């Protein structure tokens, strides 16, 4: 997240919390696509991680990119921690220096691809004089957690202190992983519920299709998506498959009640982040927060709190698809195409629900647990995930073709599914391809990843 919100409007009732989510509803003709991706920077000369400070650090990279793009700097305690664009896009840095583009809301996947191309061109111009490159892997393949630099962002200091109290791998998540997310709109509460259920159920399929984090500490880690496995031991209060989303009557109200029960990280007042990790939002609403007695909740507090939960699909004023490892540009485009095809055409959304509606909560949790290690070889209901992925891709293709959003050469958005269709046809993910390279031409070294697995 590039910038925490700043809206001091008081919140005093549960109904206001519910209304904050319902305010995200849009007419279908205004549905947009927001794509976010992270990439891990490294020095091309020696494959070392990039610290924040120094003539060739992350600060210098952000300053170069600001000059390149004209985007406005985002500051935290005097440190530049991101850039804000004029059309809604932003650059931010994750805790270990991962460089993130939060794309603007755009009308179709073609526009998303154009945005990505322009971003990567600008980033490479800014990074080249500093000797910085970027990995397209879902986890840094070489550096230990201790060797990974820390970024000077106030909320991250609070999270770093809290994470070890609630899980074993939260610091790995923060410092060493990289993802790609797609944000989609909803027209009504009922539309949100359908999209939430379909996308939660299919999130493990996306994890398998985009698996791309097989190396840690300089060697294979035993997983195809170690990034996904890390989330299973990060913080059980704020992660997971949200089984309650499939309960009868699920909607904004149920999500609000869940979010109210998730412990807070911080309360921001002015430019100061107050560490309230583990505290209750209900207490903040009632002015009973021990660390800030008398202080009451605002719209900013609620929006910021909503951004500090990390389920596989997250509800804000849109829905975030969170299950995929980052990959190269073609895979980033494929992630957007996959979810837009499934969720933005009514017939496709209905077919996708038919595909998953018979799965039990136990079955959904089972494939969520299996996929990080065995990917498309996992199974549910007697069917392999490879077969289910093929069917999901066919549905997504039909949805994109029905949308009929064409580029300048007359091609619809279904062209961006081709990398995923190739993975299903081969039965082999990016992670498996890279593990084969490690055992073969890379001669059991991850060093070649710094030239073979880059943007």
């Amino acid at each position: 997240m590039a910038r925490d919100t700043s809206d001091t409007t008081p919140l005093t009732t549960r109904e206001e919390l519910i209304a904050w989510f319902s305010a995200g509803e849009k007419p279908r003709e205004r549905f947009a696509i927001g794509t976010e991706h992270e990439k891990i920077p490294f020095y091309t000369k020696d494959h070392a991680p990039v610290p924040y400070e120094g003539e060739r650090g992350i600060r210098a990279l952000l300053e170069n990119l600001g000059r390149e793009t004209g985007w406005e700097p985002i500051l935290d305690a005097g440190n530049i921690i991101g850039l804000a664009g004029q059309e809604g896009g932003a650059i931010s840095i994750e805790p270990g220096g991962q460089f993130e583009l939060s794309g603007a809301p755009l009308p179709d996947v073609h526009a998303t691809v154009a945005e990505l191309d322009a971003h990567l061109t600008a980033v490479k111009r800014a990074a080249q004089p500093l000797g910085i490159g970027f990995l397209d892997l879902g986890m840094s393949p070489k550096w230990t957690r201790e060797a990974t630099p820390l970024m000077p962002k106030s909320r991250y200091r609070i999270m770093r202190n809290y994470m070890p109290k609630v899980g074993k791998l939260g610091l790995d998540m923060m410092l060493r992983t990289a993802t790609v997310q797609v944000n989609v709109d909803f027209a009504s509460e009922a539309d949100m519920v359908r999209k939430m259920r379909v996308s939660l159920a299919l999130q493990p399929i996306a994890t398998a299709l985009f698996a791309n984090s097989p190396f840690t500490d300089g060697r294979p880690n035993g997983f195809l998506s170690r990034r996904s496995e890390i989330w299973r031991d990060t913080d059980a209060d704020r992660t997971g498959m949200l089984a309650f989303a499939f309960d009868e009557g699920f909607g904004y109200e149920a999500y609000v009640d869940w979010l109210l029960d998730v412990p807070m990280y911080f309360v921001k007042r002015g430019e100061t982040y107050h560490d309230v990790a583990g505290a209750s939002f209900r207490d903040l609403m009632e002015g009973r927060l021990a660390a800030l007695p008398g202080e009451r909740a605002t719209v900013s507090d609620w929006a910021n709190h909503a951004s500090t939960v990390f389920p596989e699909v997250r509800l804000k004023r849109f829905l975030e698809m969170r299950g995929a490892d980052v990959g190269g540009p073609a895979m980033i485009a494929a992630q957007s195409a996959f979810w837009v095809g499934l969720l933005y055409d009514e017939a496709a959304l209905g077919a996708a629900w038919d595909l998953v509606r018979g799965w039990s909560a136990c079955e959904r949790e089972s494939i969520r647990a299996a996929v990080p290690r065995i990917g498309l070889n996992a199974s549910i209901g007697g069917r392999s995930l490879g077969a289910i992925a093929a069917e999901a891709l066919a549905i997504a293709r039909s949805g994109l073709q029905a949308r009929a959003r064409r580029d300048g050469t007359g091609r619809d958005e279904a062209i961006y599914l081709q990398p995923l269709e190739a993975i299903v046809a081969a039965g082999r993910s990016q992670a498996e391809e890279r593990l084969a390279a490690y055992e073969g031409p890379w001669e059991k070294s991850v060093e070649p990843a710094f030239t073979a697995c880059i943007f």
Side-chain angles (χ1 to χ4, degrees), residues 102-183:
S102 297
L106 296 170
D108 54 47
V109 185
H110 304 305
T112 292
V113 170
E115 176 190 56
L116 176 60
D117 289 345
H119 166 73
L120 291 175
T121 297
V123 167
K124 288 174 183 178
R125 283 193 191 128
Q128 191 275 331
L130 306 177
I132 293 174
F134 297 91
L135 290 164
D136 70 4
L137 292 166
M139 185 169 187
S140 57
K142 178 180 176 182
W143 320 306
T144 65
R145 183 196 294 174
E146 293 72 24
T148 304
L150 305 176
M151 299 297 110
K153 199 167 176 179
S154 299
R155 66 185 271 163
Y156 294 159
R157 286 194 292 272
I158 295 168
M159 291 171 68
R160 285 199 307 269
N161 290 335
Y162 183 71
M163 284 288 185
K165 301 174 184 177
V166 292
K168 295 177 182 177
L169 300 176
L171 295 181
D172 282 317
M173 178 278 294
M174 292 180 66
L175 297 170
R176 301 205 284 174
T177 65
T179 187
V180 56
Q181 297 172 196
V182 179
N183 304 329

Side-chain angles (χ1 to χ4, degrees), residues 139 154 265 285 418 438:
M139 185 169 187
S154 299
Y265 282 149
M285 289 187 72
Q418 290 174 0
Y438 175 88

